[in-house]
């Protein structure tokens, strides 16, 4: 049995109340896993840390530096509190197996996962951090948090949109106030023609739109262009809807 909490959900970027979930896991003596694939990296920022309080109580955390940290695809991290649990699951023996590391301080990765012959993935994480430092990542993430707040507040002022979810991190989800599922898909298509990529999730059974401000190449000027385009396209769609009515 385990509880899986989310630190940065795909659709809205929302972080669960991790302190409350950790208390529940402790009470029921079950493993607590946190899916921080998108959100855990925000722990570098003050605002992110405030949302992520409680994540330190997890038994395991997934974290993908290839998402919010903008590192190369396939750079995924699993953090496990007690490595002995992995050894119990994955250790194996065979005459072809390499001898365990002689240095007890060196982790024997062959007994910590399913792979025996492994790619040197850690280099993709270590090298950029070595060259640029964690401060560069923190600045990038803080900028994304600020932009998500900007997008949220600007769209909220526009009566064309409903924004029931204030962004915890860098995802801004919203709805067309007067639009059906087809209108939301049409928004995505029309915006795509202007090189702006939103996705149309279904949240609580209703169509929505999702702006994920994540790339290290996305800056305030791009978000402003996207916001202008979103407002324009919404007017265009509402105009057609009203004419048809
Ligand atoms: C919260 C969350 N967990 C896990 C995943 C899966 O990540 P990947 O596609 O890198 O395997 C995603 C992908 O969007 C995600 O948003």
């Amino acid at each position: 049995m385990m509880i899986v909490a989310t630190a940065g959900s795909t659709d809205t970027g929302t972080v669960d109340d991790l302190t409350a979930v950790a208390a529940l896991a402790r009470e029921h003596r079950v493993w607590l896993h946190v899916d921080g694939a998108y959100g855990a990296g925000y722990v570098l920022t003050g605002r992110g840390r405030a949302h992520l309080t409680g994540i330190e109580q997890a038994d395991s955390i997934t974290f993908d530096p290839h998402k919010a940290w903008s590192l190369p695809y396939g750079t995924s991290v699993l953090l496990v509190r007690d490595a002995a649990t992995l050894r119990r699951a994955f250790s194996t023996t065979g005459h072809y197996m390499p001898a365990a590391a002689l240095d007890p301080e060196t982790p024997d990765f062959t007994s910590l996962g399913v792979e025996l012959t492994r790619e040197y993935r850690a280099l993709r994480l270590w090298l950029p951090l070595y060259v640029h430092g964690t401060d560069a990542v923190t600045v990038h993430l803080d900028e994304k948090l600020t932009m998500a707040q900007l997008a949220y507040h600007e769209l909220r002022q526009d009566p064309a949109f409903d924004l029931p979810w204030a962004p915890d991190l860098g995802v801004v989800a919203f709805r067309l106030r007067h639009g059906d599922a087809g209108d939301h898909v049409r928004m995505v298509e029309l915006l795509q023609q202007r090189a702006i990529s939103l996705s149309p999730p279904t949240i609580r059974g209703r169509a929505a739109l999702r702006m994920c401000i994540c790339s290290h190449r996305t800056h305030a000027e791009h978000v402003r262009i996207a916001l202008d385009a979103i407002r324009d396209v919404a007017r265009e769609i509402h105009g057609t809807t009203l004419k048809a009515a």
Side-chain angles (χ1 to χ4, degrees):
M1 280 285 284
M2 76 190 304
I3 296 178
V4 179
T6 305
S9 67
T10 309
D11 287 349
T12 59
T14 305
V15 182
D16 285 337
D17 181 341
L18 299 174
T19 304
V21 181
L24 200 66
R26 242 190 341 269
E27 183 189 334
H28 295 279
R29 297 182 183 203
V30 291
W31 185 279
L32 172 61
H33 177 75
V34 175
D35 178 351
Y38 160 66
Y42 276 92
V43 79
L44 288 181
T45 67
R47 284 178 284 179
R49 254 194 317 280
H51 283 296
L52 292 161
T53 303
I55 196 169
E56 70 287 351
Q57 299 179 54
D59 295 296
S60 55
I61 301 169
T62 40
F63 159 49
D64 286 349
H66 65 227
K67 293 192 168 66
W69 282 18
S70 274
L71 294 189
Y73 281 1
T75 311
S76 198
V77 174
L78 174 67
L79 294 169
V80 177
R81 179 178 296 285
D82 179 8
T85 53
L86 293 181
R87 267 186 229 107
R88 279 199 297 280
F90 295 113
S91 283
T92 182
T93 54
H95 65 86
Y96 53 85
M97 298 284 287
L102 295 177
D103 172 7
E105 295 296 311
T106 306
D108 177 13
F109 286 108
T110 63
S111 62
L112 296 178
V114 290
E115 284 174 302
L116 182 52
T117 306
R118 308 169 71 249
E119 192 191 336
Y120 187 7
R121 292 186 196 93
L123 186 65
R124 298 204 293 258
L125 179 56
W126 178 83
L127 190 61
L129 293 181
Y130 179 75
V131 173
H132 299 290
T134 48
D135 284 356
V137 186
T138 308
V139 168
H140 146 67
L141 294 174
D142 251 328
E143 185 193 26
K144 303 297 120 53
L145 292 175
T146 300
M147 283 191 253
Q149 289 301 322
L150 170 97
Y152 172 71
H153 288 291
E154 287 220 2
L155 292 177
R156 242 167 81 98
Q157 285 171 18
D158 190 320
F161 306 111
D162 258 338
L163 283 95
W165 310 277
D168 284 349
L169 301 175
V171 177
V172 184
F174 59 100
R175 292 191 173 110
L176 288 172
R177 184 159 290 166
H178 307 290
D180 60 14
D183 292 329
H184 286 77
V185 172
R186 183 105 184 93
M187 277 283 289
V188 171
E189 289 166 357
L190 291 173
L191 286 166
Q192 193 66 56
Q193 289 168 15
R194 302 187 186 199
I196 292 158
S197 293
L198 299 194
S199 55
T202 300
I203 304 177
R204 301 206 170 130
R206 285 181 56 199
L209 292 160
R210 166 183 175 274
M211 187 178 189
C212 181
I213 306 169
C214 197
S215 166
H216 64 289
R217 292 205 175 96
T218 303
H219 301 294
E221 63 269 29
H222 307 113
V223 174
R224 288 190 193 287
I225 290 170
L227 291 173
D228 285 345
I230 288 168
R231 286 185 283 243
D232 259 17
V233 169
R235 301 271 171 283
E236 196 180 320
I237 288 181
H238 279 154
T240 330
T241 315
L242 292 180
K243 261 188 230 146

